């Protein structure tokens, strides 16, 4: 069976997934964790030169899209938000515990 997928450019890929990208003023663009599966379902059947990667950057989950072209590979990186926010039970308390409390409050406010 012939591969019916076509090569795509980064601009075509970005147009396809535009509804799933959230841009924040002066911050990195983000993708919600629950939308990654939808992005995969959009891109994999259409494009044969696109690679999707998940990983960590600065201890934050990220989602990368690589498009292999004639002269190299373009990459876009998005921070993943809204993933599993459970924290390990063995977390150490430090003298700067008030920072941890601020982060928990900030995470709770992000859900609204």
């Amino acid at each position: 069976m012939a591969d019916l997928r076509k090569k795509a450019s980064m601009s075509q890929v970005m147009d396809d997934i535009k509804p799933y990208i959230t841009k924040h003023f002066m911050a990195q663009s983000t993708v919600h964790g629950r939308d990654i599966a939808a992005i995969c379902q959009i891109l994999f059947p259409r494009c044969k030169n696109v690679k999707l990667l998940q990983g960590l950057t600065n201890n934050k989950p990220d989602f990368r899209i690589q498009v292999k072209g004639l002269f190299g590979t373009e990459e876009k990186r998005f921070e993943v938000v809204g993933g599993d926010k459970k924290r390990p039970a063995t977390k150490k308390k430090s003298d700067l515990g008030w920072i941890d409390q601020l982060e928990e409050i900030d995470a709770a406010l992000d859900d609204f």
Side-chain angles (χ1 to χ4, degrees):
M1 184 174 198
D3 189 6
L4 300 176
R5 299 179 301 163
K6 296 181 180 179
K7 288 188 176 184
S9 67
M10 182 59 83
S11 63
Q12 291 169 332
V13 169
M14 295 305 290
D15 286 342
D16 287 344
I17 65 168
K18 190 174 185 176
Y20 300 104
I21 298 171
T22 306
K23 292 187 179 182
H24 299 283
F25 180 73
M26 299 293 287
Q28 183 178 4
S29 297
T30 61
V31 174
H32 203 284
R34 68 175 176 257
D35 293 334
I36 292 175
I39 292 170
C40 293
Q41 289 175 349
I42 290 170
L43 295 178
F44 281 143
R46 294 184 197 170
C47 311
K48 63 181 174 181
N49 63 329
V50 174
K51 190 182 219 182
L52 305 175
L53 305 164
Q54 286 184 293
L56 288 175
T57 302
N58 297 332
N59 290 328
K60 294 181 180 180
D62 72 345
F63 179 68
R64 290 176 287 167
I65 299 174
Q66 293 179 343
V67 178
K68 188 172 184 175
L70 185 60
F71 298 110
T73 302
E74 288 185 71
E75 180 177 285
K76 293 284 184 179
R77 186 179 304 251
F78 304 95
E79 184 178 333
V80 177
V81 295
D84 186 17
K85 294 193 178 198
K86 294 181 182 176
R87 297 186 183 229
T90 60
K91 186 178 174 183
K92 288 184 177 181
K93 294 286 183 181
S94 67
D95 294 337
L96 301 174
W98 60 273
I99 294 174
D100 295 332
Q101 290 175 344
L102 287 176
E103 289 176 351
E104 289 173 6
I105 292 169
D106 186 44
L109 290 175
D110 284 344
D111 292 337
F112 293 113

